Amino acid sequence: KYDQSVAAYEQALAMEPETHFRAEALVEMGLALFNQKNYTRAAATLKEAQTLTTDDSTLGPLAAYWLGETLYESQNYPEAITAYEAVGKWPDCTLAPQAIYSIGFCQLKLHEPDKAAETFRRVAEKYGDSPVAAESALRAGEVLRQDKQYPAAAQQYQFILRKYATSDYAADAQAGLAWTEFAQGDFDGARAAFQTLLSKYPQSKTAGEAPLR
């Protein structure tokens, strides 16, 4: 399927290299190459598409975001961040919160947990109703806890439990809060948090893994 798509776009661009639809064809071909896992060619194709779509509110975010995805898969995290940041030119597009979220993963790969946590938090702050907001907020808490920044992690989990209490990530936040209390030596607080997990989210995976200490 993707081989045929790439071949068709290549033929069309070769026949009419100055076509009005060149930018669209390049974006589509870049996506097909990405799905082929041909990241070198995908990056080159999407970079060209990006130069042609700097003022296009539809194709511009697509070219920048998928260039970021391509560079991430190529483990070129600094350039991936630059590509994702370019999506921010269109802050109201649907890909904008996902692009910020993806920057956080790049920063984790670059061993920059403080930056990653702040980036993940920014998604919820700027795009609090987006589909990735609650998950991104949870990522921030997990990064802070793993980095042993326990007070900040606890605040982050509590934020999730207030703002996203009915989301799929609330149980994980409650468990994270319990483990944060445990790591700080507050065993009574940890026990209470685990009990809340069991009573409020009894069907969650984290509830099944919760110890009572």
Side-chain angles (χ1 to χ4, degrees):
K1 176 184 175 182
Y2 296 119
D3 290 346
Q4 293 174 348
S5 296
V6 170
Y9 286 122
E10 286 177 328
Q11 183 178 10
L13 290 169
M15 291 175 63
E16 296 185 65
E18 303 305 321
T19 177
H20 175 67
F21 299 103
R22 181 175 183 82
E24 183 176 355
L26 287 168
V27 170
E28 295 294 338
M29 188 166 78
L31 286 171
L33 288 163
F34 176 86
N35 284 305
Q36 283 184 324
K37 302 186 188 304
N38 189 340
Y39 300 127
T40 300
R41 285 194 62 200
T45 302
L46 290 164
K47 282 178 180 177
E48 182 181 352
Q50 194 178 29
T51 66
L52 300 175
T53 57
T54 53
D55 296 316
D56 189 320
S57 61
T58 300
L59 293 176
L62 279 172
Y65 177 79
W66 285 103
L67 176 58
E69 292 287 281
T70 300
L71 293 167
Y72 182 89
E73 293 296 334
S74 303
Q75 300 181 17
N76 186 343
Y77 305 118
E79 286 194 26
I81 289 174
T82 300
Y84 289 130
E85 287 175 338
V87 180
K89 181 176 181 179
W90 299 275
D92 296 327
C93 76
T94 57
L95 287 172
Q98 181 66 54
I100 298 173
Y101 187 37
S102 297
I103 289 171
F105 285 104
C106 292
Q107 290 165 331
L108 284 179
K109 291 290 188 181
L110 292 169
H111 308 291
E112 298 174 336
D114 286 344
K115 287 184 179 180
E118 183 56 36
T119 298
F120 289 139
R121 280 193 289 208
R122 188 152 51 97
V123 177
E125 290 170 0
K126 192 170 183 180
Y127 299 100
D129 296 326
S130 75
V132 296
E135 182 178 358
S136 190
L138 180 67
R139 292 281 183 188
E142 296 294 277
V143 170
L144 291 165
R145 181 165 65 89
Q146 290 165 11
D147 202 41
K148 299 183 180 181
Q149 299 185 47
Y150 297 125
Q155 289 181 356
Q156 186 64 23
Y157 291 132
Q158 289 163 349
F159 164 77
I160 297 163
L161 292 168
R162 289 193 305 272
K163 186 171 178 63
Y164 303 108
T166 60
S167 76
D168 292 339
Y169 301 98
D172 290 330
Q174 184 64 44
L177 179 61
W179 284 115
T180 299
E181 299 289 1
F182 184 82
Q184 294 181 99
D186 182 357
F187 303 123
D188 290 339
R191 175 179 286 275
F194 280 125
Q195 287 174 332
T196 298
L197 173 63
L198 292 169
S199 63
K200 290 189 70 172
Y201 312 100
Q203 303 303 317
S204 67
K205 180 181 177 181
T206 49
E209 299 170 350
L212 282 177
R213 306 192 180 205

